[in-house]
Amino acid sequence: MGDLLGVAVLGAGHMGADHIRRLDQVVSGARVAAVADPDRARAEAAVAGLDHVTVHTDPVAALDAPGVAAVLIASPAPAHEEALLAAFARRLPVLCEKPMVPDSAGALRIMEAELGAGRRLAQIGFMRRYDAEYRRLKALLDGGRLGRPLMLHCTHRNVSSPADFTSAMLINSSVSHEIDAARWLLGQELTAVTVLRPGPSAGAPGGLLDPQFALFETERGALVDVEVFVNCGFGYQVRCEAVCEAGSARIGDEHTMVVTTRGGARQEVAQDYLVRFAAAYDREVQAWVDATRRGEVTGPGAWDGYAASAVAEAGVRALETGQRVAVDLAPRPALYAGR
Ligand SMILES: NC(=O)c1ccc[n+]([C@@H]2O[C@H](COP(=O)([O-])OP(=O)(O)OC[C@H]3O[C@@H](n4cnc5c(N)ncnc54)[C@H](O)[C@@H]3O)[C@@H](O)[C@H]2O)c1
């Protein structure tokens, strides 16, 4: 057990409990050493049956628990900054669920603290970079066979949203995935955003502006549009089509079982991200554990978390004002060059 990476998991909700199961049953080279959740019963339930795990209600206490050498943050976004800063102060490597923090000012503080530590410590949970289909699309675009990418058409639909979901969160929580994926696929920063919206769906809880349509501009003249619809009621669907000078490529069409019976065929549709992106989460956490044990950070980092926050913040202003809003990115520190 001594040579396994001991991980403190902060937050034992949907993602935290799934990551605990993953660290215990799927990933090699790591073990859960501590868990923290203000809801002690939830934390205890998430680690039931696991040995040598301490349970805490205070996240900072979990960082100081015996055997902890790394941290996985799966608490709600407003709690991430405090947890990241506490981890950096202890020089603990971190995998932090997206969004890194809710706002760009907080993201700048995270980068400043990591720069103060003198090395990269944080990986941000943009797991689409580990999804097999996204990786194929990235390789195709990078290979140049389709020529220069001109547009990405993206769809992001959830069956329903959590009770506390706000109109801004369609952009800064849901679309943060497309923001990161577009930056990564195109190798470009997003420079401006406009958000339009139809009249809300009857399925949207009162007052929620759902769906929305976001249009991003990039630094080398590409366009990225995203339909985000978080109470569509019928399935979890994430698609992306790249339209290039010499062809197009689309990912995210359902690849599940098709059942044909008399008079018709029925194709299953995933109902949530834990199903659609199961393999991507597995690959993400395994890659993080492997890199951490080598003393490296190889995945999306604090700069990517910052860029996503800054673009999302502009997106929320665009939603609120109805205007096109330019993204104002700080200069990229050398620590994050080439990533
Ligand atoms: N990568 C993805 O695809 C993906 C999908 C869903 C959610 N997320 C992200 O994961 C994070 C958690 O989301 P969730 O859906 O699991 O939420 P959740 O509400 O199901 O769980 C959050 C848990 O954190 C606990 N908590 C609250 N404050 C805490 C603190 N200070 N320290 C430790 N725990 C605390 C809560 O009691 C709760 O049990 C969010 O950042 C969310 O955006 C990522």
Side-chain angles (χ1 to χ4, degrees), residues 10-16 36-39 42 59 74-77 79-80 97-99 125 127 173 177 273 281:
L10 311 186
H14 289 100
M15 289 309 296
D37 197 301
D39 184 337
R42 191 175 293 171
S75 48
H80 291 182
E97 269 304 342
K98 50 58 57 180
M127 80 298 177
S173 189
H177 279 299
Y273 41 83
Y281 294 122

Side-chain angles (χ1 to χ4, degrees), residues 13-25:
H14 289 100
M15 289 309 296
D18 198 52
H19 283 317
I20 287 169
R21 177 197 57 78
R22 177 169 294 108
L23 285 165
D24 182 51
Q25 297 174 17

Side-chain angles (χ1 to χ4, degrees), residues 164-188:
D164 57 354
F165 220 69
T166 64
S167 298
M169 287 169 80
L170 271 77
I171 301 291
N172 62 25
S173 189
S174 303
V175 177
S176 72
H177 279 299
E178 273 75 20
I179 292 172
D180 181 71
R183 294 178 59 248
W184 175 68
L185 286 170
L186 299 173
Q188 300 180 47

Side-chain angles (χ1 to χ4, degrees), residues 14-69:
H14 289 100
M15 289 309 296
D18 198 52
H19 283 317
I20 287 169
R21 177 197 57 78
R22 177 169 294 108
L23 285 165
D24 182 51
Q25 297 174 17
V26 182
V27 165
S28 61
R31 70 178 186 95
V32 181
V35 59
D37 197 301
D39 184 337
R40 175 174 278 275
R42 191 175 293 171
E44 283 172 348
V47 296
L50 273 61
D51 294 328
H52 309 293
V53 185
T54 53
V55 175
H56 309 263
T57 49
D58 172 12
V60 175
L63 303 189
D64 295 327
V68 169

Side-chain angles (χ1 to χ4, degrees), residues 48-49 55 66 81 88 106 110 116 141 162 181 184 187 194 217 246 255 275 302 335:
V55 175
E81 182 172 346
F88 290 173
I110 298 301
L141 297 179
W184 175 68
T194 307
E217 300 165 44
H255 299 296
V275 173
L335 184 65

Side-chain angles (χ1 to χ4, degrees), residues 269-312:
V269 180
Q271 292 295 288
D272 70 32
Y273 41 83
L274 294 180
V275 173
R276 163 65 181 88
F277 285 112
Y281 294 122
D282 290 351
R283 226 174 272 126
E284 171 193 50
V285 178
Q286 185 67 67
W288 173 68
V289 167
D290 292 346
T292 301
R293 294 180 79 199
R294 295 194 306 269
E296 296 174 12
V297 177
T298 54
W303 170 260
D304 301 294
Y306 162 69
S309 292
V311 173

